[in-house]
């Protein structure tokens, strides 16, 4: 059994840190949560001295005291791990967070920039996100209200905004924007939509957690072509792929390439096939991509048996 002090965001029940903590505990490890918003160096040091953790685990944070805390832990032979889920290179790159550099291990969801991490001398490994096992459930509604939905923020960058606007204008009252709905409520919402259109920033070997949140909660997902995604999911079996579009004539591209795919899967003759794909994606996530599976990956990387 490992003792883990986890410094992260825990105030919201659907925070990924809570899912990760649950996974560690379900595998028999002891986790002490320390809310990053109220954390200080002296407070963290006190918890470490009292709890005596084997691992201090952090997520990405701008808290300045981590630049002092992580080296302090390293000097005391406490294993330091940073596990974060946002894309860093090429999207919101800025100053490298101190815990990326100072932690013994850095795990991110970005599999497309290994050379950049190597150039910095950072021991970086890829661990994807996943689905919270208790919420990996399929709900069914006989006659869904909405034909098409878009999930998540819609204005992060130009192409996502263009996709969202096209979906909204094309499907009008049959379109739903799902944003801010979490937990089991999200499963129920997905059941009331025939097709979910997702998106990930266009970087090879990186994809958004929308993949697991949709497929692991029973959504029938259409997602743009993403290099590397086939290593985990198969288009036509777990989701449906559609071609990405450039900034040139996005409406024309979506009319010609995405609309026929949507219309095909809205046809009543495809109802049973849609349901079969939803069941297959739930099974895939439950058996391979829960946070328990991801925690086991992490422990394997650091050569610790779960």
């Amino acid at each position: 059994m490992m003792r883990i002090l986890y410094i992260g965001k825990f105030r919201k029940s659907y925070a990924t840190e809570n899912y990760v903590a649950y996974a560690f505990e379900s595998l028999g490890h002891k986790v002490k949560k320390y809310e990053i918003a109220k954390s200080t160096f002296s407070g963290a040091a006190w918890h470490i001295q009292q709890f005596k953790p084997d691992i201090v685990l952090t997520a990405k944070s701008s808290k300045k005291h981590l630049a002092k805390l992580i080296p302090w832990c390293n000097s005391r032979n406490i294993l330091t791990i940073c596990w974060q889920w946002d894309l860093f290179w090429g999207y919101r790159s800025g100053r490298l967070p101190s815990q990326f550099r100072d932690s013994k291990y850095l795990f991110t969801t970005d599999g497309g920039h290994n050379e950049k991490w190597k150039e910095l001398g950072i021991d970086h490994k890829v661990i994807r996100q996943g689905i919270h096992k208790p919420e990996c459930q399929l709900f069914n509604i006989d006659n869904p209200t909405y034909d098409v939905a878009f999930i998540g923020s819609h204005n992060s960058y130009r192409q996502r905004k263009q996709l969202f606007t096209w979906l909204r204008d094309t499907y009008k009252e049959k379109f739903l924007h799902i944003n801010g709905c979490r937990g089991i409520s999200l499963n129920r919402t997905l059941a009331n939509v025939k097709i979910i259109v997702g998106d990930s920033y266009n970087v090879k070997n990186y994809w958004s957690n929308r993949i697991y949140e949709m497929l692991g909660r029973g959504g029938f997902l259409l997602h743009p072509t993403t290099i590397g995604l086939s290593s985990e999911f198969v288009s036509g079996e777990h989701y449906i792929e559609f071609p990405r579009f450039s900034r040139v004539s996005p409406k024309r591209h979506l009319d010609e390439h995405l609309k026929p795919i949507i219309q095909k899967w809205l046809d009543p003759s495809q109802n049973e096939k849609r349901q079969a794909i939803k069941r297959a994606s739930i099974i895939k996530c439950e058996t391979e991509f829960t946070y328990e599976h991801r925690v086991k990956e992490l422990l394997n990387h650091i050569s610790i048996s779960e």
Side-chain angles (χ1 to χ4, degrees):
M1 180 191 76
M2 304 296 294
R3 298 172 66 84
I4 301 154
L5 178 70
Y6 198 176
I7 304 174
K9 299 176 181 178
F10 302 102
R11 291 178 173 177
K12 296 177 180 179
S13 61
Y14 56 79
T16 302
E17 287 93 328
N18 280 317
Y19 295 161
V20 170
Y22 176 95
F24 271 111
E25 290 172 338
S26 71
L27 293 172
H29 304 287
K30 188 170 181 61
V31 178
K32 183 173 183 59
K33 302 175 184 178
Y34 186 36
E35 175 60 45
I36 187 65
K38 65 178 183 180
S39 67
T40 62
F41 172 79
S42 60
W46 183 87
H47 282 294
I48 289 168
Q49 290 166 346
Q50 296 298 310
F51 184 60
K52 296 180 173 54
D54 302 292
I55 296 172
V56 170
L57 176 62
T58 64
K60 188 182 73 173
S61 171
S62 59
K63 283 284 188 175
K64 293 182 179 179
H65 73 265
L66 292 176
K68 180 180 178 181
L69 180 67
I70 302 302
W72 184 85
C73 292
N74 292 337
S75 70
R76 286 159 177 77
N77 294 318
I78 300 169
L79 186 61
T80 52
I81 298 173
C82 178
W83 185 7
Q84 73 95 31
W85 308 286
D86 295 330
L87 181 65
F88 181 74
W89 298 108
Y91 181 38
R92 292 175 177 168
S93 302
R95 178 178 294 182
L96 193 74
S98 62
Q99 66 267 41
F100 283 22
R101 179 185 63 250
D102 296 335
S103 297
K104 173 67 174 175
Y105 293 100
L106 171 65
F107 298 103
T108 81
T109 55
D110 178 9
H113 295 96
N114 291 331
E115 291 304 314
K116 288 186 177 290
W117 297 117
K118 189 180 295 185
E119 287 172 9
L120 294 174
I122 293 174
D123 190 352
H124 169 264
K125 299 289 192 300
V126 176
I127 297 184
R128 309 291 179 190
Q129 287 180 263
I131 185 69
H132 185 40
K133 188 174 181 178
E135 296 175 0
C136 190
Q137 300 179 38
L138 175 63
F139 289 74
N140 285 310
I141 293 177
D142 290 337
N143 296 297
T145 302
Y146 299 97
D147 285 345
V148 180
F150 183 83
I151 182 74
S153 62
H154 66 286
N155 56 3
S156 301
Y157 54 94
R158 181 182 297 181
Q159 286 172 285
R160 181 174 293 177
K161 188 173 183 179
Q162 291 169 334
L163 173 61
F164 174 87
T165 300
W166 181 85
L167 290 168
R168 182 194 62 196
D169 294 348
T170 301
Y171 296 97
K172 302 183 186 328
E173 71 277 2
K174 285 293 187 178
F175 171 74
L176 177 67
H177 180 206
I178 304 172
N179 195 29
C181 183
R182 308 295 184 115
I184 288 296
S185 294
L186 178 55
N187 301 52
R188 296 190 176 96
T189 299
L190 294 177
N192 200 29
V193 181
K194 294 176 184 176
I195 293 173
I196 311 297
V197 178
D199 182 42
S200 295
Y201 195 70
N202 189 16
V203 175
K204 69 176 182 179
N205 295 318
Y206 166 81
W207 45 91
S208 164
N209 195 40
R210 288 177 182 81
I211 297 288
Y212 310 102
E213 285 289 300
M214 295 302 96
L215 300 184
R217 294 179 186 273
F220 180 81
L221 179 67
L222 272 58
H223 192 276
T225 303
T226 300
I227 296 173
L229 184 55
S230 60
S231 65
E232 291 195 338
F233 298 102
V234 178
S235 178
E237 184 176 341
H238 306 114
Y239 77 105
I240 304 300
E241 180 181 271
F242 66 89
R244 288 190 179 272
F245 60 94
S246 68
R247 295 182 181 181
V248 180
S249 303
K251 183 180 184 302
R252 178 180 175 181
H253 180 100
L254 292 167
D255 282 340
E256 293 180 354
H257 296 280
L258 180 55
K259 191 173 184 178
I261 296 173
I262 292 176
Q263 294 310 113
K264 170 188 174 179
W265 290 103
L266 287 177
D267 191 296
S269 66
Q270 299 295 327
N271 287 352
E272 289 188 10
K273 180 63 174 176
R274 279 205 323 270
Q275 287 300 115
I277 289 175
K278 288 165 68 171
R279 288 192 295 270
S281 66
I282 282 275
I283 292 170
K284 183 74 168 179
C285 289
E286 187 176 30
T287 56
E288 296 186 38
F289 303 132
T290 67
Y291 278 103
E292 281 83 350
H293 292 101
R294 300 313 193 191
V295 164
K296 288 179 181 180
E297 286 182 48
L298 184 151
L299 295 174
N300 182 60
H301 277 305
I302 63 176
S303 300
I304 294 174
S305 173
E306 69 269 13

